[in-house]
Amino acid sequence: MNRVHVAYRVLCMLIILIATLTACTSASPGAAPLSASPSAATTTIGMASPTEEVATPEASLREPAFYSRSYRNLFREYLGKTDGEVQQKLNATWQHLFYGDDENQRVYYPVGDDMAYILDVGSGDVRTEGMSYGMMIAVQMNKKEEFDRLWTWVRTHMYQSEGPYRGYFVWRCAPDGRKLDSRPAPDGEIWFATALLFAAHRWGNERGIFNYHNEAQRILDIMIHKDDEHTGLATSMFNRENKLVVLVPGGRQATLTNPSYHLPAYYELWSRWAERDNDFWTEAARASRAFLRRAAHPQTGLMPNYSTFDGTPTIDPEHKQFRFDAWRTLSNVAVDYAWFGADPWQVEQSNRVLQFFLSQGVDTFVNQYTLDGKPLSRDRSPGLLAMTAVAALAADRQYGEPFVREFWSTPVPSGESRYYDGMLYMLGLLHASGHFRIYFP
């Protein structure tokens, strides 16, 4: 841990100590409590077994999860739900999406004795996005068999062993394993690498493709060193100059980016755990935080699907607006704050974007908008609702609680749209409940 992080931890502890001493010396019998709201609750993660602790009621004084190993349970903190109720909801959602009815519930489909895929039901294909989400959900839920089945399918059918994109994964395949495109999508690699590192730390490493750490390191290496191969087509997934993730590693799309691919909390972990290029990943985390500031609309907080590296929306009429990809930016900002407390702006941004959705109605806001807040759809989506609940991790209670409450009462997605909505629903449930955790070496 470097001196900056040590100083940050000491500062957090001093602030908490001063606040506690002030409360103790000023309080008198019968005096009003420091906060009229229920005391905040966290889930504390130990390396052996979880225990519970009560966190300070002031969110600004809470030590980031990377340092405290404690994670907020917003359902208990805001709604008074018991740990048993939360665990039951997690288990039921896992059962629904992974082992529910074939036609209307599940998105996870086993293949043979050792493989499985996550199906994009609406498109009828398998994507690195969904496979990497499925692996992350599996490691968070401690489901090693499902994790290994998904990873085996990915390495068997999506990995490119030749051609200019050698070392990357194709972004989409048919359910029978046929490659439908040669191009990769960086978000898949980003989530694969992080899920594999968590798996290595939670379950240990085995041989071959189940040496999770080695597999993660290979992905990290190719993401920033592909340029060294001079293929004439494929580029690195991170621009070597500005340290920002690209939209697609090749051609003109390598000069653009997707704000929802910016996951500074993950890059921050890589900067600590990777075998090499640690300084690059530290700079990538900083660069992404600065980029997200530029990409967010100053009034609504909404971000576009695609943009230039300076945050300007692309001229593409579809992707210059807040659409399906951009939902995830709410989570990316809030998780970075919850884990690292990286930037006070992340609180301002989370408040801003949740204020916008509150102005649209917590039970009526739609799933697509222009960046300045004009509706582009009449549809609602539980996936976006899940991301607003995750944003509550960095927002003030008055803005976050309504979305946590609405999310809790929303059923697990079913039917044709259950893939993307369902994956984000499960990830949101894990984050908002304090069960999406960093697994340390």
Side-chain angles (χ1 to χ4, degrees):
M1 186 180 299
N2 61 36
R3 287 175 290 178
V4 173
H5 293 124
V6 170
Y8 184 87
R9 292 193 66 178
V10 170
L11 177 60
C12 285
M13 287 192 259
L14 284 173
I15 292 172
I16 293 169
L17 178 60
I18 291 167
T20 303
L21 289 173
T22 300
C24 290
T25 57
S26 63
S28 60
L34 287 174
S35 173
S37 61
S39 61
T42 66
T43 302
T44 301
I45 308 307
M47 298 310 288
S49 60
T51 59
E52 302 301 322
E53 71 174 26
V54 177
T56 172
E58 296 296 332
S60 61
L61 302 181
R62 187 177 288 106
E63 192 177 13
F66 180 84
Y67 308 110
S68 67
R69 315 264 177 125
S70 296
Y71 302 82
R72 294 173 69 188
N73 181 343
L74 297 180
F75 300 124
R76 188 171 75 236
E77 183 178 335
Y78 289 167
L79 310 184
K81 300 299 179 183
T82 66
D83 292 342
E85 288 176 302
V86 171
Q87 190 62 56
Q88 183 178 24
K89 193 172 185 70
L90 284 167
N91 293 342
T93 304
W94 166 269
Q95 187 66 28
H96 178 109
L97 292 172
F98 281 71
Y99 292 101
D101 174 78
D102 281 0
E103 299 301 319
N104 290 300
Q105 295 182 324
R106 77 187 305 165
V107 295
Y108 170 87
Y109 294 87
V111 177
D113 295 331
D114 63 350
M115 290 194 285
Y117 59 80
I118 301 287
L119 179 67
D120 181 338
V121 180
S123 299
D125 58 20
V126 181
R127 305 181 175 205
T128 51
E129 168 193 77
M131 295 297 280
S132 60
Y133 287 174
M135 288 169 58
M136 181 62 81
I137 290 166
V139 72
Q140 296 295 334
M141 293 290 291
N142 199 24
K143 304 288 187 179
K144 187 176 186 301
E145 178 185 346
E146 288 83 356
F147 185 100
D148 287 348
R149 279 178 170 268
L150 291 169
W151 182 233
T152 301
W153 202 98
V154 169
R155 288 294 264 113
T156 301
H157 298 301
M158 308 187 97
Y159 182 73
Q160 302 197 61
S161 58
E162 57 186 14
Y165 289 115
R166 181 176 59 86
Y168 286 147
F169 300 93
V170 297
W171 78 276
R172 61 190 289 257
C173 287
D176 63 9
R178 288 178 295 112
K179 293 177 174 65
L180 300 178
D181 201 320
S182 63
R183 296 171 300 168
D187 61 329
E189 266 81 347
I190 290 168
W191 282 80
F192 282 143
T194 310
L196 287 162
L197 287 170
F198 286 170
H201 303 160
R202 184 162 202 181
W203 299 320
N205 294 298
E206 300 171 17
R207 294 182 178 181
I209 66 169
F210 302 119
N211 186 322
Y212 307 123
H213 176 87
N214 286 353
E215 291 290 286
Q217 185 61 53
R218 185 195 60 76
I219 294 171
L220 296 181
D221 288 343
I222 196 73
M223 282 199 291
I224 59 174
H225 291 292
K226 189 66 178 176
D227 286 338
D228 299 341
E229 298 178 16
H230 304 290
T231 68
L233 175 62
T235 70
S236 297
M237 287 188 169
F238 283 77
N239 183 289
R240 297 287 287 274
E241 297 300 319
N242 60 33
K243 312 299 189 293
L244 297 178
V245 63
V246 304
L247 177 60
V248 176
R252 179 180 175 277
Q253 290 182 311
T255 67
L256 302 174
T257 189
N258 181 324
S260 75
Y261 291 179
H262 288 256
L263 289 144
Y266 288 1
Y267 313 156
E268 193 76 41
L269 295 177
W270 302 347
S271 75
R272 291 162 165 80
W273 298 342
E275 295 177 9
R276 47 195 161 268
D277 300 310
N278 305 78
D279 289 344
F280 182 95
W281 295 123
T282 297
E283 293 175 22
R286 292 172 183 161
S288 269
R289 289 168 185 144
F291 165 82
L292 290 168
R293 276 182 175 241
R294 299 192 298 269
H297 190 276
Q299 277 77 50
T300 64
L302 300 176
M303 300 189 202
N305 266 14
Y306 300 167
S307 80
T308 60
F309 290 135
D310 67 5
T312 303
T314 62
I315 60 174
D316 182 323
E318 176 75 12
H319 293 294
K320 70 179 183 179
Q321 311 293 4
F322 178 85
R323 297 190 189 272
F324 305 103
D325 276 13
W327 298 353
R328 302 174 293 196
T329 59
L330 278 72
S331 174
N332 295 359
V333 169
V335 170
D336 191 34
Y337 184 78
W339 285 7
F340 291 101
D343 186 350
W345 172 84
Q346 294 167 328
V347 176
E348 299 171 15
Q349 164 63 12
S350 297
N351 284 340
R352 183 180 300 113
V353 74
L354 291 186
Q355 280 182 278
F356 167 73
F357 285 116
L358 278 173
S359 76
Q360 303 296 298
V362 70
D363 58 351
T364 55
F365 69 87
V366 297
N367 61 13
Q368 298 173 75
Y369 288 91
T370 61
L371 296 188
D372 61 0
K374 296 180 179 64
L376 294 172
S377 167
R378 295 182 179 180
D379 298 327
R380 284 177 55 75
S381 295
L384 176 55
L385 177 60
M387 297 298 94
T388 63
V390 179
L393 289 169
D396 293 339
R397 180 170 184 163
Q398 68 188 92
Y399 307 121
E401 181 177 342
F403 296 97
V404 174
R405 190 173 300 279
E406 182 72 11
F407 181 41
W408 179 268
S409 65
T410 298
V412 186
S414 296
E416 188 174 355
S417 63
R418 67 187 184 272
Y419 158 69
Y420 190 56
D421 278 327
M423 292 287 97
L424 295 189
Y425 184 103
M426 186 70 192
L427 291 169
L429 196 61
L430 287 162
H431 273 302
S433 67
H435 285 77
F436 194 120
R437 300 160 181 173
I438 303 167
Y439 286 91
F440 290 79

